[in-house]
Amino acid sequence: MSKTGKIPMLDLSVEIEALWDEINAAVQRVLRSGQFIMGPEVEGFEREAAEYLGVRHAVGVNSGTDALVIALRALGIGSGDEVIVPSFTFFATAEAVSLVGATPVFADIDPRTYNVAPERIEERITSRTRAILPVHLFGQAVQMDRIRAIARDNRLVVVEDVAQAFGGEYRGRKLGSIGDAGAFSFFPSKNLGAYGDGGLIATDDDDVAEQARMLRTHGAKKKYHNETIGYNSRLDALQAAILRVKLAHIDEWNEGRRAAARRYGEMLADVSGVETPYEASHIRHVYHQYTVRVRDGGRDAVRERLAEAGVGTMVYYPVPVHLLPVYAASGYELPATEAASGEVLSLPIWPQMARTVQEQVVDSLREALK
Ligand SMILES: *Cc1c(COP(=O)(O)O)cnc(C)c1O
């Protein structure tokens, strides 16, 4: 519990206290070096992240959104192309597709996992489809075998949106290493978070990596020899140095989240009116969010009562992306996505969350459901 007696959605204070000296040393190392853009810290983090993820290349960029944009462009996606995306995700997934000049085509979810459903992807394929952009939502892997088979049969590329799932696995492989490219975000609240913005592209493809490296530095492989219109999108050296400290702890933190999720599952087993998250056996869910479902229209009232009791919760996502103003005119109807957005409720979770704090959340939830 925080000092105010309230339970936040996420408590990063435990982590920073534990790593204070190491983080300070890393920051000072960068300040003393005078190398703030690219350089050894960025290279070091890229090497360590590539090794952790089991990929040939990791390319640091300025944000998760830029990682998606640059990965799509590096794979040659652009104007006239269609990219199949879920609508039950953060706006940036679809926004990145629009930013490269392509059209996001929305597919519905599996209501159990909230992840884009392979059958719904297949229905959306046209002669213009070039890519599938699945999102490992809340830290849970999408069905990558099915998605890869669909991509192979239809000659599509796959870009994984791994913003919420650093360290997550599918059949023993790290998420972000299975598609043609994986796009990660280091937004501070993500499982691996920087102390500012940051992102990363993971790929085994040498050409994609080379294109991504070129695009992040104004389309130049060699300074002042710009070949194409790119971006100013580097991973900040300070953030890279901080991320190197934090990367060493990601497995332990994800295990902490998994343990907290297990405890929630036990505590909520006898609470009627909420459905706990589904977890398939062949994946390693890293619980970026612990999201329950409140049926029968009670979600908003439950959330309000929890807020009155000092328990922070969030709704990810209250408006499906296909119904947001920029995309609403396309007229999609996605029943499973629309139902989920009215029923999901994400409870507080962080790696070091204590059982006693979880008990308070569950007690308050039980009261709120009455
Ligand atoms: C956070 C997030 C992004 C964007 O990452 P930024 O680093 O904030 O740009 C993209 N997709 C999903 C699913 C996210 O959760």
Side-chain angles (χ1 to χ4, degrees):
M1 176 127 53
S2 74
K3 291 158 204 92
T4 56
K6 294 192 170 168
I7 301 174
M9 266 303 282
L10 170 68
D11 187 352
L12 290 172
S13 66
V14 198
E15 165 198 301
I16 184 111
E17 288 306 330
L19 299 180
W20 189 258
D21 291 342
E22 266 185 276
I23 300 265
N24 262 299
V27 168
Q28 286 177 33
R29 195 168 69 226
V30 175
L31 298 187
R32 292 227 164 82
S33 77
Q35 176 96 47
F36 303 116
I37 305 292
M38 304 300 286
E41 297 293 343
V42 174
E43 281 164 27
F45 176 66
E46 288 180 340
R47 193 170 55 241
E48 288 152 16
E51 191 179 327
Y52 177 86
L53 296 168
V55 291
R56 284 170 58 77
H57 306 281
V59 182
V61 293
N62 188 55
S63 69
T65 306
D66 282 7
L68 287 167
V69 166
I70 292 173
L72 288 167
R73 272 196 65 194
L75 283 157
I77 310 297
S79 159
D81 297 335
E82 291 179 356
V83 178
I84 300 173
V85 298
S87 168
F88 200 57
T89 178
F90 179 55
F91 183 66
T93 311
E95 186 185 32
V97 175
S98 296
L99 279 169
V100 304
T103 304
V105 171
F106 296 103
D108 212 352
I109 53 168
D110 175 344
R112 276 190 318 179
T113 61
Y114 308 109
N115 275 331
V116 65
E119 333 52 282
R120 302 285 90 82
I121 291 174
E122 277 177 312
E123 292 166 1
R124 294 289 193 231
I125 294 172
T126 72
S127 58
R128 287 166 174 266
T129 309
R130 288 282 319 281
I132 307 171
L133 206 182
V135 180
H136 303 293
L137 198 71
F138 303 149
Q140 161 136 274
V142 301
Q143 294 180 56
M144 283 308 290
D145 282 352
R146 295 277 311 278
I147 288 174
R148 289 226 308 173
I150 295 168
R152 194 169 48 237
D153 293 348
N154 296 278
R155 304 180 67 212
L156 310 175
V157 297
V158 177
V159 177
E160 299 173 66
D161 182 335
V162 214
Q164 303 188 1
F166 196 103
E169 291 176 7
Y170 177 82
R171 297 195 192 283
R173 289 183 69 181
K174 287 281 184 308
L175 301 181
S177 74
I178 308 169
D180 296 276
F184 292 88
S185 165
F186 303 124
F187 185 86
S189 66
K190 308 286 168 143
N191 285 37
L192 181 62
Y195 294 140
D197 277 309
L200 187 90
I201 298 155
T203 185
D204 278 326
D205 187 317
D206 297 350
D207 295 332
V208 170
E210 187 181 37
Q211 285 295 313
R213 289 207 169 92
M214 178 170 87
L215 286 166
R216 76 172 164 184
T217 49
H218 303 283
K221 281 182 204 148
K222 192 172 154 211
K223 208 168 186 182
Y224 309 125
H225 294 264
N226 311 67
E227 296 171 38
T228 186
I229 303 295
Y231 309 88
N232 177 353
S233 183
R234 284 127 357 179
L235 176 61
D236 192 279
L238 274 168
Q239 300 304 337
I242 290 164
L243 284 164
R244 293 179 82 179
V245 173
K246 296 184 74 172
L247 178 62
H249 298 271
I250 189 65
D251 282 339
E252 156 204 334
W253 290 336
N254 280 335
E255 274 314 309
R257 287 175 178 274
R258 287 175 56 76
R262 256 192 315 274
R263 289 194 296 270
Y264 264 142
E266 288 158 16
M267 293 174 190
L268 289 168
D270 68 338
V271 178
S272 60
V274 291
E275 277 170 40
T276 55
Y278 170 82
E279 183 180 331
S281 58
H282 55 278
I283 69 154
R284 180 171 184 254
H285 193 327
V286 290
Y287 291 96
H288 174 61
Q289 299 299 339
Y290 187 86
T291 302
V292 299
R293 201 187 261 265
V294 184
R295 300 260 190 207
D296 308 319
R299 195 264 321 271
D300 292 340
V302 167
R303 180 161 194 244
E304 233 162 79
R305 285 184 212 127
L306 284 169
E308 283 161 19
V311 176
T313 60
M314 286 296 279
V315 172
Y316 301 113
Y317 293 89
V319 185
V321 177
H322 72 282
L323 297 179
L324 288 167
V326 278
Y327 299 120
S330 307
Y332 283 90
E333 283 176 30
L334 304 170
T337 295
E338 288 162 32
S341 64
E343 296 177 339
V344 288
L345 186 66
S346 296
L347 303 182
I349 192 165
W350 59 89
Q352 308 82 358
M353 192 176 193
R355 171 185 287 273
T356 50
V357 178
Q358 290 188 269
E359 276 163 358
Q360 288 180 55
V361 173
V362 172
D363 288 347
S364 302
L365 180 57
R366 208 181 263 116
E367 274 303 305
L369 284 158
K370 279 186 184 155

